[in-house]
């Protein structure tokens, strides 16, 4: 809308996004109703990622209306992370470095992917061996 405040992503890392997630929620809800519901409530979505000698470090932050909503979102995201770890394979390796927490009115996902796992994931995405 005309009165919308412009969002500027934090200049942090090699990748940075700052967005209103409601349009994304509508876009994905047909394929993934759970993801659509999760993205429909936050007022803001922030994502940053950086690469260094320890691999990839990233953070996804959902800004919600209140602390109870943030706790609920963090619990949902934690459940997804645990399910990914239990699934085995590449998804489990990528999800092993996830830490989910509620911080005030924000649900935050921290990720660390070691260089070896990141290299394997890139090979796998390129059609190479995944194990």
């Amino acid at each position: 809308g005309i009165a919308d405040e412009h969002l500027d992503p934090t200049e942090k890392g090699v990748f940075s996004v700052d967005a209103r997630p409601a349009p994304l929620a509508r876009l994905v809800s047909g394929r993934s109703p759970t993801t659509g519901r999760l993205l429909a409530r936050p007022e803001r979505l922030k994502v940053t990622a950086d690469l260094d000698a320890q691999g990839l470090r990233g953070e996804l932050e959902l800004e919600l209306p209140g602390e109870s909503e943030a706790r609920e979102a963090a619990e949902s995201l934690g459940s997804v992370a645990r399910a990914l770890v239990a699934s085995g394979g590449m998804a489990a390796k990528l999800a092993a470095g996830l830490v989910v927490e509620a911080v005030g009115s924000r649900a935050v996902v921290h990720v660390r992917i070691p260089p070896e796992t990141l290299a394997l994931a890139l090979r796998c995405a390129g059609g190479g061996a995944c194990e």
Side-chain angles (χ1 to χ4, degrees):
I2 198 160
D4 280 350
E5 177 186 338
H6 178 72
L7 299 178
D8 285 316
T10 305
E11 293 183 20
K12 180 178 175 183
V14 295
F15 179 79
S16 187
V17 173
D18 194 345
R20 292 178 186 89
L24 182 59
R26 288 189 295 274
L27 184 69
V28 302
S29 63
R31 286 188 164 176
S32 176
T34 301
T35 304
R37 283 190 302 275
L38 184 63
L39 291 173
R41 296 176 78 189
E43 299 165 355
R44 200 166 189 171
L45 165 75
K46 295 181 185 181
V47 179
T48 58
D50 203 3
L51 293 168
D52 59 24
Q54 285 75 43
L56 180 123
R57 288 178 293 118
E59 187 172 279
L60 178 144
E61 178 182 305
L62 297 173
E63 188 177 307
L64 290 124
E67 290 182 18
S68 63
E69 291 93 339
R71 282 192 303 276
E72 288 174 25
E75 288 172 14
S76 294
L77 290 166
S79 294
V80 170
R82 287 187 296 279
L84 287 172
V85 169
S87 72
M90 182 53 63
K93 290 178 182 175
L94 294 172
L98 293 179
V99 175
V100 183
E101 64 180 338
V103 180
S105 62
R106 298 174 296 128
V108 184
V109 178
H110 305 276
V111 64
R112 282 195 171 279
I113 302 175
E116 307 79 33
T117 305
L118 187 57
L120 182 61
L122 292 173
R123 271 197 310 274
C124 186
C130 292
E131 292 299 324

